[in-house]
Amino acid sequence: CTNPPKPDGTRCNDGVTCTVDDRCTAGACHGRSTTTGTVPLLATVPLPSSNAYSALSLAIAGTQLYISDQRTSVVLQYDVTGRTAPTFVRSTPVGTYPRSIFISGNALYVVTTLGFEKRTLTGTLLGKVDFAMAPGEVVVAGSTAFVAIQGTSGGIRRFDVSGNAPVQTAAVSLSNGSD
């Protein structure tokens, strides 16, 4: 709205997704907040044409949206910049049946039915951990990952994830108290 100066009322984009009807006012771009506190649906993410996709988990880093698909064992990546339809970036094959995904730092973590993977945000595999049984929740705090292992011999395992490949540093078996 300032370079070159634009008259008040000229349409602009303030870059805030929670505003609508953005206009120049006194040399600055301002939008009107939505009254309901929700962001209007600007676009939907079109999955590839196969009807076999089953999105289970979403993660976002900056303008990149990641969607895990259990049926095809892939993570789909979309660029969601701006207010236009998302742009498909890539489909990355991952371990068997990705159950959930999340971002921590500059890494994408994929929890599969038999372990978890650490990947770059562009999908390159950095390292993985395989278990004989399904992991439950995986939580990353700084350079440490905690993994809950399901099943009768389950427990909590701690991993150092500061390098590429996760390295187990501790394990605690859980008892149901009926010894």
Side-chain angles (χ1 to χ4, degrees):
C1 294
T2 60
N3 191 10
K6 295 189 174 103
D8 285 358
T10 301
R11 288 193 175 272
C12 59
N13 182 351
D14 66 4
V16 178
T17 59
C18 298
T19 61
V20 295
D21 197 29
D22 301 345
R23 306 267 178 178
C24 293
T25 306
C29 184
H30 298 285
R32 180 174 43 85
S33 294
T34 58
T35 57
T36 62
T38 60
V39 177
L41 180 62
L42 302 173
T44 58
V45 176
L47 294 177
S49 60
S50 167
N51 290 331
Y53 284 87
S54 172
L56 284 183
S57 183
L58 304 173
I60 194 156
T63 62
Q64 301 302 299
L65 173 67
Y66 300 85
I67 304 170
S68 71
D69 178 56
Q70 188 175 33
R71 289 190 185 148
T72 59
S73 294
V74 298
V75 172
L76 304 168
Q77 182 180 349
Y78 288 84
D79 186 326
V80 293
T81 303
R83 295 182 176 204
T84 60
T87 304
F88 177 75
V89 176
R90 72 179 51 83
S91 174
T92 302
V94 296
T96 307
Y97 303 117
R99 297 164 36 135
S100 64
I101 58 176
F102 62 95
I103 307 286
S104 182
N106 288 322
L108 171 69
Y109 290 86
V110 180
V111 181
T112 68
T113 55
L114 294 176
F116 77 97
E117 302 174 357
K118 180 179 180 182
R119 295 182 170 270
T120 65
L121 294 180
T122 58
T124 303
L125 180 65
L126 296 172
K128 67 179 185 170
V129 176
D130 290 320
F131 301 112
M133 57 201 71
E137 196 66 32
V138 176
V139 178
V140 176
S143 62
T144 303
F146 297 93
V147 181
I149 306 297
Q150 299 174 351
T152 57
S153 60
I156 305 293
R157 297 188 187 173
R158 184 176 66 198
F159 293 85
D160 178 347
V161 292
S162 60
N164 285 346
V167 176
Q168 184 170 325
T169 57
V172 175
S173 293
L174 301 180
S175 170
N176 64 8
S178 61
D179 294 333

